[in-house]
Amino acid sequence: MKQRPVIALLTDFGSSGAYAAAMKGVILSACASAQIIDIAHSIGPQNIDEAAYVLWSVYKYFPAGTIFICVVDPGVGSKRNIMYLETDNYCFLAPDNGLLKFVLGSDSPKSVRSVTNSTLFLNPVSSTFHGRDIFAPVAATLANGLSSAKVGSEYKPE
């Protein structure tokens, strides 16, 4: 029996708002079989170091193949890149702002891509809610089996 895809969320959205729920709705609309796990939504506002540490502390305990959506993104709406990092066992979607630094320090990347394929995004894309409009639909299509090469071009993190 094939395992249902696991998508794990890590954000600084807080637990009382609708933001995480909107992301979950987008994911489930595109991939109804997804298991969505909340790592944390109470990361300090824009605290990239805290998010990086929390992610590093937990990711290796998840099933192989888990897709991690990490949205602690002070640069939302700017020209910052969104990365898709694939290791031998896990996949990560995060802004290229240092959030994946501990993961990169402990796991070798198999592939790193810039998330640029706008056909995967919700339309229109909000300038302030890339978690819903970019991260969530990209993760769902990856969970449905989309090849990582379709996400965007190869990328070297800054």
Side-chain angles (χ1 to χ4, degrees):
M1 179 176 204
K2 186 177 178 186
Q3 178 183 337
R4 292 173 46 205
V6 176
I7 298 175
L9 305 178
L10 175 66
T11 76
D12 61 353
F13 296 164
S15 57
S16 63
Y19 300 111
M23 287 179 61
K24 291 176 186 182
V26 169
I27 292 166
L28 292 172
S29 292
C31 183
S33 65
Q35 296 179 77
I36 302 172
I37 307 296
D38 296 301
I39 296 172
H41 297 295
S42 59
I43 299 296
Q46 303 181 355
N47 192 331
I48 295 164
D49 289 335
E50 179 186 4
Y53 178 76
V54 169
L55 177 64
W56 175 77
S57 298
V58 303
Y59 83 93
K60 288 189 177 183
Y61 299 104
F62 279 77
T66 297
I67 299 168
F68 295 89
I69 300 177
C70 309
V71 187
V72 176
D73 193 6
V76 68
S78 72
K79 294 290 183 193
R80 62 83 179 94
N81 285 304
I82 297 173
M83 291 178 15
Y84 172 68
L85 167 67
E86 193 173 349
T87 68
D88 284 335
N89 293 307
Y90 304 104
C91 304
F92 302 87
L93 286 162
D96 186 9
N97 62 8
L99 203 155
L100 298 180
K101 64 186 170 189
F102 298 134
V103 170
L104 285 165
S106 62
D107 242 335
S108 297
K110 189 166 94 175
S111 173
V112 182
R113 300 199 166 268
S114 180
V115 177
T116 56
N117 183 351
S118 62
T119 64
L120 304 175
F121 307 165
L122 291 186
N123 188 11
V125 173
S126 162
S127 63
T128 58
F129 200 180
H130 289 178
R132 177 196 62 206
D133 299 342
I134 298 173
F135 289 86
V138 169
T141 54
L142 287 163
N144 282 328
L146 179 77
S147 164
S148 63
K150 304 266 185 188
V151 169
S153 59
E154 290 186 16
Y155 178 72
K156 183 171 173 60
E158 296 179 13

